[in-house]
Amino acid sequence: MSDNQTLPQRKIIHVDMDAFYASVEQLDNPELIGKPLAVGGSENRGVVAAASYEARKFGVRSAMSGAQAKRNCPDLIFVSPRFDRYKEISQKIRKIFFEYTDLVEPLSLDEAYLDVTQNKKGNPSASLIAEEIRQRIFEEVGLTASAGISVNKFVAKVASDINKPNGQKTINPDEVEDFLENLDIKKFYGIGKVTTEKMYQQGIFTGKDLKSKSLEYLELHFGKSGIHYYYIVRGIHNSEVKPNRITKSVAAEHTFDSNLTSEIYMEERLEQIASELSRRLFKHKISGKTVTLKIKYSDFTQHTRSKTLPYFISDKGLIFSTIKELLYQEKMKNSVRLLGISISNLNTEIKKTMVVQLKFDF
């Protein structure tokens, strides 16, 4: 790792809970253990939020329509999500993390980065710390977790998938480059389906193929992301574990029991969403200049419309009047199943996007 020797050598753990939402449901209702389970959705409508490993064997996955999931797995059991419960368990898990280090960066309710270079236990082995944390989560919470351990966040994140579920993988400093060279490009964190296809078309199938491309080539074909790809495949990713991540937007959205066909009904619902969003903004002392309306139609296509104001707003009236303007900007193409409002271009430096889900009508 010659390119990386001048960078600080960190010990990073990425902990990822195994099928978290589904596992919580199985924990609370032992009758569901061993059965194919989908959290969210139904056979008639809605979207799967999470699937148990038993359901994943049939190709059921998050963001799949409930109807498709049921076709894939006729014995699939649907349960409604209980986000208060998931949050409660997530807080118990984070409490365990903080017993080892204050450098904890949650990515969501079910995963986090931990920097254990210097840790509260004085344990020089990040692998042993990860093992201990996973064991404690199992004993104290009743759920299994997987972990990736390495010199930076990127490699740790990729490694946490290797021995899932209920396993861990350590990539030592001298193993990083070989590990990344032999990795299928689709397993690189941050490289999605579209980019994977684009890379395949250019003969980039593995990390080794990616590494053979010059910085100029990657920048030409992938823009700014190309620079990122050039460095990560060499094991260079110097992003620190940040306990407080900056909020880039605050959003609220609502999925409806039955599709909306009239803008008048949409106005009523948007006023409720604007009210909830305003309450959140005031609570966190946040305001923003860019208001975005999100519309998901009954055929699952999604559109957004935005307006940037010359001043910061957080007031419900100002948010709603801007959203009404965006709503009538063009005619609806279809009936609507979800509406959302987000505020970005914020006056704050608190990290991470906060999405407020008003209600899950699965």
Side-chain angles (χ1 to χ4, degrees):
M1 292 179 55
S2 54
D3 292 305
N4 207 11
Q5 280 175 357
T6 56
L7 298 176
Q9 194 74 276
R10 297 193 182 100
K11 295 176 183 180
I12 307 296
I13 303 171
H14 177 254
V15 180
D16 193 6
M17 300 303 297
D18 298 324
F20 182 57
Y21 297 167
S23 296
V24 172
E25 296 303 330
Q26 290 174 326
L27 176 72
D28 289 352
N29 183 358
E31 288 181 12
L32 296 173
I33 293 172
K35 294 179 181 175
L37 178 71
V39 176
S42 70
E43 13 187 332
N44 301 316
R45 61 178 291 110
V47 177
V48 173
S52 68
Y53 283 101
E54 295 84 1
R56 291 182 192 186
K57 290 173 187 173
F58 293 88
V60 178
R61 60 184 188 278
S62 60
M64 177 180 279
S65 74
Q68 180 61 55
K70 190 70 175 176
R71 283 195 292 271
N72 285 12
C73 179
D75 294 327
L76 190 64
I77 300 166
F78 292 95
V79 297
S80 296
R82 299 176 298 143
F83 284 93
D84 286 346
R85 176 64 172 149
Y86 307 149
K87 191 173 180 182
E88 178 192 343
I89 289 189
S90 178
Q91 285 169 345
K92 287 182 183 176
I93 294 164
R94 283 184 197 170
K95 196 174 173 187
I96 294 172
F97 295 161
F98 282 112
E99 288 185 35
Y100 294 83
T101 176
D102 288 327
L103 294 177
V104 176
E105 181 180 339
L107 298 179
S108 58
L109 291 178
D110 62 340
E111 59 176 319
Y113 291 115
L114 288 73
D115 186 331
V116 294
T117 314
Q118 305 292 327
N119 59 82
K120 295 176 182 179
K121 304 290 185 182
N123 189 337
S125 170
S127 299
L128 289 177
I129 291 174
E131 208 169 288
E132 192 175 308
I133 287 172
R134 290 176 47 245
Q135 184 63 30
R136 285 192 58 190
I137 291 170
F138 182 70
E139 288 172 1
E140 296 170 32
V141 183
L143 298 175
T144 64
S146 297
I149 305 98
S150 197
V151 295
N152 61 45
K153 286 159 69 173
F154 173 76
V155 182
K157 170 84 173 169
V158 175
S160 66
D161 268 341
I162 302 294
N163 290 322
K164 256 189 170 297
N166 197 22
Q168 66 182 60
K169 176 72 175 174
T170 300
I171 311 296
N172 292 311
D174 58 350
E175 299 169 336
V176 169
E177 289 201 51
D178 281 346
F179 170 73
L180 293 174
E181 282 185 8
N182 291 307
L183 200 65
D184 189 312
I185 213 70
K186 69 183 177 188
K187 292 188 176 176
F188 274 65
Y189 172 57
I191 296 183
K193 283 184 181 177
V194 174
T195 306
T196 296
E197 282 305 315
K198 189 174 177 182
M199 287 192 174
Y200 282 176
Q201 286 164 13
Q202 294 179 45
I204 302 171
F205 297 98
T206 64
K208 191 171 185 179
D209 298 330
L210 180 62
K211 199 172 178 182
S212 71
K213 304 296 182 186
S214 68
L215 179 59
E216 292 73 23
Y217 176 94
L218 293 174
E219 210 171 346
L220 177 67
H221 289 88
F222 301 98
K224 283 184 182 176
S225 297
I227 304 169
H228 173 66
Y229 302 149
Y230 178 85
Y231 285 108
I232 59 167
V233 77
R234 288 165 172 76
I236 302 170
H237 184 245
N238 204 30
S239 173
E240 295 176 8
V241 170
K242 304 178 188 75
N244 300 304
R245 304 170 66 222
I246 289 177
T247 300
K248 294 181 181 172
S249 70
V250 183
E253 58 186 42
H254 191 132
T255 304
F256 306 108
D257 282 325
S258 50
N259 297 331
L260 303 181
T261 53
S262 159
E263 278 93 342
I264 300 299
Y265 290 128
M266 291 177 207
E267 257 194 58
E268 289 176 12
R269 300 309 178 92
L270 284 167
E271 188 169 12
Q272 294 167 2
I273 295 170
S275 181
E276 173 64 16
L277 183 57
S278 175
R279 189 181 67 77
R280 288 280 167 157
L281 290 166
F282 276 113
K283 182 181 175 184
H284 294 282
K285 298 182 174 62
I286 294 173
S287 55
K289 290 183 177 180
T290 302
V291 182
T292 301
L293 170 64
K294 174 181 170 183
I295 303 166
K296 187 181 280 186
Y297 291 106
S298 52
D299 63 359
F300 287 86
T301 57
Q302 187 172 298
H303 294 275
T304 57
R305 304 169 189 172
S306 297
K307 181 176 182 178
T308 299
L309 303 167
Y311 44 81
F312 290 104
I313 66 167
S314 57
D315 175 73
K316 175 205 160 182
L318 291 170
I319 294 170
F320 183 53
S321 63
T322 308
I323 280 296
K324 272 208 297 187
E325 192 182 319
L326 293 169
L327 178 66
Y328 291 104
Q329 212 170 61
E330 57 181 274
K331 195 167 172 57
M332 293 293 152
K333 298 177 173 63
N334 205 333
S335 59
V336 171
R337 70 186 315 276
L338 177 148
L339 288 170
I341 305 172
S342 66
I343 300 278
S344 56
N345 202 354
L346 303 177
N347 66 336
T348 180
E349 298 203 332
I350 310 164
K351 271 194 175 188
K352 112 183 155 135
T353 301
M354 301 189 309
V355 176
V356 183
Q357 203 72 19
L358 294 184
K359 185 183 173 191
F360 280 77
D361 299 310
F362 291 116

